């Protein structure tokens, strides 16, 4: 009698069928030997919408909240109805005696398989195929080690509890806040909230507020340029020997030091050498890959996640949605074989005597669902972005097998009239594993103490910088730290925030929109914004998986939190709390009599004087040269005469500029220049 194998995607189904023999194609499945191999095409089944529980829940009304189903219902996805019918027919065939779940080996894959099995009403024995890659070897080995599906019940219970909590928190908070805000403004848009996405949005908004509130402090630095009698020239930065700081509080102090040392010879020059061992990289978790590929290759985290999944389905890398950067001992034992398979394309960078990673605790240790991302050694047809990401994964894997690098660092202290100037130079003496990424040995300079006969010096005015906006790589790291979401869902969360127009990407920085700023302002410190609360829920989901917490206890806590959220949202009906559609920004700089208003509504937001009918022409659009102009920007413009420096899109390309007020109240762009900063960067002497 045939066995039904349920894979997650057609490509994986084909790989499984091919590993088992010579498959033939049928309607919605493949047949090979005594196996029928079908696929889920993502989520064939999902939790039912609110109206499936109570007809009155179809309407968005505050008095119908919270929506807390007594029991949960599943529905087939209308978009994939045909494939669901195919799978259901296969599960109900009289000659099919058992089912093998071969969806992705993780919480989401487990949930997909179980919900389909349940919705189809299947009661036949079920087993689990748990593999880390879809190579023929891994599939055949996995088929020999099938486990009863019940062995993964706790994983399923945790995944199902996560999905139900997302439904409960997301739908209730979305409706509560949207209905409350529409109470005073029927044209108010839908505000989608979520258990993970709203705390992430709050972090991005809070960072933006820190930047807006930041007040720069002016300081001064001194750059010395020293000429040896042999003609050798090197730079150095003035440093306070007591504090190690290169910053001076006043221009007068800086000028005094410059006047004191300029044109002089050095009292003496001190040189110290030290060695630094540069360890090889660890293997990659998904978060590591997202951060590193975002920085090195310029991919978004969503692109990294999607491309890695394609490489996995082509059998070229192990399962990518992993939170681990370690492997088990048996996986490490396969590394020599993988290196041998990679030798054809990467023979120039594979070490002659690879390190044995199986005995190194930086690489081998306990793992959760899946080990670190590694290449399988199997090749497939790839190009473009797929080839670039695969190449990076392979190079990290190979680099881990190389020896450490060795750097020699030379610290030069130049003392002139008692003032100390500091220079650091680094040399890659032994590139080690860095040769994989193109590094070459660097020759050391002659170890001769310079005899400085001429000193030039100049001071520059600098300013402390505000905190940086989150990049996608940085917010992924912060989400990981705060336990917001999982390795498999974090990139999706960022994409949701973009799609809902809560944030936008400016260069590599995540910037909250007016909509995102407004939502977080209205929510205040509501529980739905709390990263700590979401982190506690993640801990509880892990406890469900370990069997130390019941699903019922977890869901009672979720329901109690949702009741509090609905009560807090209801208070937003108070019109004194909700931001008015017309907000006063400050006095008009053009007519000197009116007030500048922020106008929002069906038209694009803009700023204008309330005496426009009396002839005042002051007007600023809500978007200028591709840059959103926020209320904070306008308030700063009115109070200080200029906005903060931003990146604007001009016909000639993107440029950093400052929008400032002229004497007649109009606005113009200024393009800042700073030779001092360029010189400092040129010499590699950042403070």
């Amino acid at each position: 009698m045939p066995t039904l194998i349920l894979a997650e995607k057609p490509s994986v189904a084909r790989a499984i069928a091919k590993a088992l023999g010579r498959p033939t194609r049928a309607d919605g499945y493949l047949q090979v030997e005594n196996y029928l191999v079908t696929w889920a095409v993502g989520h064939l089944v999902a939790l039912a919408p609110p109206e499936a529980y109570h007809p009155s829940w179809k309407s968005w009304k505050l008095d119908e909240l919270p929506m807390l189903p007594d029991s949960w219902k599943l529905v087939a996805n209308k978009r994939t109805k045909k494939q669901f019918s195919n799978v259901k027919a296969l599960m109900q065939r009289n000659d099919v005696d058992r089912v093998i779940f071969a969806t992705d080996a993780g919480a989401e894959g487990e949930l997909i398989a179980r919900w389909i099995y349940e919705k189809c009403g299947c009661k036949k024995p079920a087993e689990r195929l748990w593999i880390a890659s879809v190579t023929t070897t891994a599939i055949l080995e996995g088929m020999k080690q099938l486990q009863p599906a019940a062995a993964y019940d706790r994983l399923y219970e945790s995944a199902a509890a996560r999905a139900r909590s997302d439904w409960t928190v997301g739908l209730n908070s979305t409706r509560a806040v949207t209905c409350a805000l529409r109470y005073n403004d029927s044209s108010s848009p839908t505000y989608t909230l979520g258990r993970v996405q709203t705390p992430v949005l709050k972090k991005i908004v809070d960072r933006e507020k820190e930047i807006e509130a930041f007040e720069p402090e002016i300081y001064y630095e001194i750059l010395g340029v020293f000429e040896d009698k042999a003609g050798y020239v090197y730079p150095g930065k003035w440093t306070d020997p007591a504090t190690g700081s290169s910053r001076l509080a006043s221009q007068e102090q800086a000028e005094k030091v410059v006047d004191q040392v300029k044109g002089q010879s050095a009292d003496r020059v001190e040189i110290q050498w030290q060695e630094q061992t540069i360890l090889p990289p660890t293997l990659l978790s998904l978060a590591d890959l997202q951060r590193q590929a975002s920085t090195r290759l310029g991919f978004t985290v969503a692109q990294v996640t999607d491309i890695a999944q394609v490489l996995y389905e082509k059998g070229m890398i192990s399962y990518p949605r992993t939170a681990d950067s370690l492997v088990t001992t048996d996986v490490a034992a396969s590394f020599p074989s993988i290196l041998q398979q990679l030798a054809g394309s990467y023979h120039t960078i594979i070490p002659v005597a690879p390190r044995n990673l199986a005995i190194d605790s930086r690489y081998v240790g306990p793992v959760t669902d899946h080990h670190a991302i590694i290449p399988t050694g199997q090749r497939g047809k790839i190009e473009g972005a797929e080839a670039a990401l695969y190449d990076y994964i392979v190079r990290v894997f190979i680099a881990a097998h190389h020896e450490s690098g060795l750097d020699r660092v030379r610290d030069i202290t130049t003392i002139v009239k008692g003032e100390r100037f500091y220079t650091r130079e680094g040399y890659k003496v032994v590139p080690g594993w860095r040769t994989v990424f193109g590094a070459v040995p660097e020759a050391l300079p002659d170890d001769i103490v310079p005899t400085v006969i001429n000193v030039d010096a100049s001071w520059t005015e600098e300013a402390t910088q505000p905190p940086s906006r989150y990049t996608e790589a940085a917010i992924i790291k912060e989400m990981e730290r705060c336990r917001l979401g999982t390795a498999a869902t974090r990139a999706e969360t960022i994409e949701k925030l973009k799609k809902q127009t809560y944030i936008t990407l400016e260069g590599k920085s995540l910037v909250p929109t007016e909509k995102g700023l407004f939502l977080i302002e209205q929510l205040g410190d509501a529980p739905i914004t709390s990263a700590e609360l979401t982190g506690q829920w993640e801990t509880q989901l892990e406890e469900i998986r370990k069997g130390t917490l019941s699903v019922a206890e977890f869901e009672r806590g979720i329901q109690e939190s949702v009741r509090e959220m609905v009560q807090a949202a209801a208070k937003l009906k108070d019109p004194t709390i909700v931001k008015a559609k017309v907000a006063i920004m400050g006095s008009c700089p053009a007519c000197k009599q009116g007030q500048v208003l922020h106008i929002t509504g069906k038209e694009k937001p803009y700023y204008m004087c309330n005496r426009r009918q009396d002839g005042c022409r002051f007007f600023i659009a809500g978007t200028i040269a591709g840059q959103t102009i926020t209320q904070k920007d306008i308030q700063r413009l009115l109070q200080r005469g200029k906005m903060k420096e931003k990146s604007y899109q001009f016909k000639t390309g993107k440029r950093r500029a400052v929008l400032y007020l002229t004497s007649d109240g109009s606005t113009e762009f200024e393009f800042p220049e700073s030779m001092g900063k360029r010189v400092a960067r040129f010499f590699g002497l950042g403070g």
Side-chain angles (χ1 to χ4, degrees):
M1 297 180 75
T3 295
L4 178 63
I5 300 177
L6 175 62
E8 191 162 326
K9 292 186 178 179
S11 58
V12 177
R14 288 193 294 270
I16 293 172
K18 187 176 179 180
L20 295 174
R22 302 184 56 156
T24 58
R25 180 84 187 220
D27 187 15
Y29 68 98
L30 301 166
Q31 184 158 6
V32 54
E33 302 295 337
N34 287 324
Y35 296 100
L36 309 176
V37 187
T38 190
W39 50 87
V41 195
H43 295 265
L44 296 182
V45 174
L47 290 171
E51 58 268 26
Y53 301 96
H54 296 288
S56 61
W57 286 0
K58 187 172 184 177
S59 299
W60 287 41
K61 295 180 180 178
L62 265 175
D63 55 11
E64 291 288 346
L65 303 176
M67 302 176 293
L68 303 173
D70 295 325
S71 59
W72 293 91
K73 300 178 181 180
L74 298 172
V75 293
N77 192 324
K78 291 180 180 179
R79 291 177 299 176
T80 53
K81 186 177 180 180
K82 186 176 186 299
Q83 182 58 15
F84 174 75
S85 297
N86 291 333
V87 174
K88 184 176 181 179
L90 291 168
M91 284 192 176
Q92 293 180 345
R93 272 177 50 164
N94 292 330
D95 60 338
V96 170
D97 63 345
R98 63 174 178 149
V99 178
I100 296 175
F101 299 148
T103 45
D104 285 355
E108 186 177 5
E110 192 68 23
L111 189 66
I112 288 170
R114 297 294 189 104
W115 276 359
I116 292 172
Y117 181 81
E118 181 181 336
K119 183 62 180 173
C120 289
C122 190
K123 303 294 184 183
K124 295 173 182 178
E127 295 177 291
R128 191 47 158 115
L129 173 66
W130 192 273
I131 51 177
S133 68
V134 290
T135 62
T136 297
T137 301
I139 291 167
L140 293 179
E141 188 63 31
M143 290 295 289
K144 295 176 184 176
Q145 301 178 28
L146 294 173
Q147 296 291 316
Y152 297 88
D153 279 352
R154 286 178 181 168
L155 176 63
Y156 162 64
E157 289 169 359
S158 176
R162 177 188 298 278
R164 293 194 294 266
S165 68
D166 286 342
W167 189 103
T168 305
V169 174
L171 291 185
N172 279 288
S173 57
T174 293
R175 292 192 178 193
V177 171
T178 299
C179 289
L181 295 179
R182 284 180 181 171
Y183 185 84
N184 297 301
D185 179 5
S186 60
S187 66
S188 180
T190 298
Y191 289 95
T192 304
L193 285 75
R195 186 178 61 87
V196 175
Q197 72 178 46
T198 305
V200 174
L201 175 60
K202 188 172 192 305
K203 284 188 171 291
I204 295 171
V205 168
D206 285 350
R207 177 60 59 86
E208 192 70 15
K209 288 180 178 178
E210 287 180 48
I211 294 170
E212 291 292 344
F214 179 81
E215 294 293 341
E217 295 180 6
I218 301 300
Y219 64 93
Y220 300 84
E221 291 188 328
I222 301 169
L223 181 68
V225 179
F226 310 107
E227 183 180 358
D228 177 68
K229 66 179 181 180
Y232 173 64
V233 177
Y234 66 95
K237 183 174 284 188
W238 178 90
T239 306
D240 185 335
T243 64
S245 173
S246 64
R247 299 179 178 183
L248 287 163
S250 72
Q251 180 178 327
E252 293 176 346
Q253 289 178 292
E255 289 176 341
K256 181 179 178 181
V257 173
V258 168
D259 291 343
Q260 185 174 337
V261 303
K262 198 168 185 177
Q264 301 296 317
S265 299
D267 302 340
R268 67 181 187 278
V269 178
E270 301 171 352
I271 293 181
Q272 287 187 328
W273 286 93
Q274 56 180 303
E275 291 188 346
Q276 294 180 345
T277 299
I278 313 299
L279 295 174
T282 58
L283 300 176
L284 297 164
S285 67
L286 179 59
D288 294 333
L289 182 60
Q290 288 168 333
R291 288 195 297 268
Q292 293 174 29
S294 176
T295 301
R296 289 174 174 264
L297 305 178
F299 296 155
T300 67
V301 294
Q303 287 173 324
V304 174
T305 308
D306 292 344
I307 296 168
Q309 184 69 19
V310 170
L311 295 174
Y312 163 70
E313 291 170 14
K314 289 184 176 182
M316 299 178 67
I317 65 171
S318 61
Y319 185 69
R321 295 171 184 260
T322 174
D324 285 305
S325 58
L326 299 173
V327 298
T328 56
T329 305
D330 59 327
V331 173
S334 69
F335 286 180
S337 174
I338 295 173
L339 286 173
Q340 189 173 10
Q341 293 177 73
L342 294 171
S345 301
Y346 291 91
H347 64 278
T348 58
I349 58 173
I350 292 179
V352 176
R355 293 194 310 126
N356 181 11
L357 303 190
I359 59 173
D360 191 333
S361 61
R362 293 180 70 233
Y363 301 94
V364 176
V367 300
T368 51
D369 289 341
H370 289 284
H371 58 67
I373 302 169
I374 60 172
T376 63
Q378 179 173 303
R379 290 290 302 189
K381 293 184 69 174
I382 53 174
E383 59 183 8
E386 292 176 11
L389 189 65
Y390 175 74
D391 178 73
Y392 184 72
I393 293 169
V394 169
R395 286 179 183 273
V396 170
F397 177 76
I398 293 174
H401 287 84
H402 277 262
E403 296 297 332
S404 298
L406 179 66
D407 287 358
R408 292 206 72 195
V409 178
R410 180 167 75 160
D411 292 328
I412 306 174
T413 303
T414 307
I415 298 101
V416 185
K417 296 296 180 181
E419 303 294 342
R420 303 173 74 87
F421 293 80
Y422 177 70
T423 307
R424 167 164 285 195
E425 301 170 341
Y427 302 89
K428 296 182 180 69
V429 180
V430 179
W433 62 270
R434 292 170 292 183
T435 58
V436 172
F437 296 98
V440 295
E442 296 174 342
L444 293 172
D446 294 335
D447 198 9
I448 300 173
V449 177
T451 302
V452 175
I453 60 172
N454 184 46
V455 177
D456 192 11
S458 59
W459 58 266
T460 59
E461 181 180 287
E462 306 287 345
T464 55
Q465 297 300 305
S468 298
R469 284 170 169 157
Y470 284 110
T471 61
E472 290 193 335
I475 198 66
I476 285 285
K477 185 174 183 179
E478 181 67 4
M479 292 170 72
E480 190 177 29
R481 185 185 72 83
C482 296
R483 295 177 59 81
L484 294 173
T486 67
T489 62
R490 289 180 183 123
E492 181 184 349
T493 297
I494 295 171
E495 291 306 302
K496 280 182 179 178
L497 290 172
K498 292 180 190 174
K499 187 175 181 180
Q500 291 156 7
T501 65
Y502 289 139
I503 62 172
T504 187
L505 200 59
E506 182 183 308
K508 290 189 175 182
S509 298
L510 297 173
V511 183
T513 63
E514 280 286 347
K515 183 180 178 182
L517 289 165
F518 175 77
L519 175 60
I520 296 302
E521 180 181 333
Q522 300 308 313
L523 292 175
D525 294 325
I528 188 67
T529 67
S530 171
E532 291 73 19
L533 178 60
T534 300
Q536 291 170 17
W537 286 338
E538 290 296 335
T539 299
Q540 291 171 352
L541 287 167
E542 186 61 30
E543 290 173 351
I544 291 173
R545 184 170 174 176
K546 293 176 180 178
T548 57
L549 181 71
S550 71
V551 172
E553 186 176 352
F554 170 74
E555 293 190 338
R556 279 196 297 271
I558 289 287
Q559 291 176 359
E560 184 58 35
S561 293
V562 165
R563 290 188 181 96
E564 292 177 11
M565 290 175 190
V566 171
Q567 290 171 3
K571 296 178 182 178
L572 296 178
K573 290 194 302 182
D574 184 344
T576 63
I577 296 177
V578 180
K579 188 192 300 179
K581 289 172 67 67
V582 177
I584 298 174
M585 298 291 98
S587 299
C588 178
C591 70
K592 314 297 184 184
Q593 299 177 42
Q595 297 288 325
V596 176
L597 305 178
H598 182 210
I599 313 295
T600 59
K602 294 183 179 179
E603 302 297 327
K604 291 182 179 179
Y606 58 90
Y607 304 88
M608 59 171 278
C609 179
N610 63 353
R611 296 187 71 252
R612 191 172 181 83
Q613 290 182 341
D614 297 325
C616 183
R617 310 312 295 169
F618 183 86
F619 178 90
I620 296 179
T623 302
I624 298 176
Q627 180 65 248
T628 299
I629 306 301
T630 68
Q631 289 191 7
K632 291 282 189 182
D633 290 329
I634 295 297
Q635 289 167 349
R636 187 182 184 92
L637 180 72
L638 299 179
Q639 293 167 6
R640 305 185 187 183
K642 63 181 180 180
M643 295 184 193
K644 288 190 174 183
E645 186 178 317
K646 290 173 175 275
S647 177
Y648 294 91
Q649 181 65 54
F650 300 101
K651 289 182 179 180
T652 55
K654 279 194 173 183
R655 290 187 68 183
R656 303 290 296 181
V658 173
L659 192 68
Y660 71 96
L661 282 172
T662 63
S663 58
D664 63 357
S666 60
T667 55
E668 291 185 6
F669 281 114
E670 182 179 57
F671 302 93
E673 299 290 341
S674 177
M675 287 300 295
K677 291 184 180 180
R678 287 208 298 274
V679 168
R681 285 199 293 270
F682 175 77
F683 284 116
L685 297 169

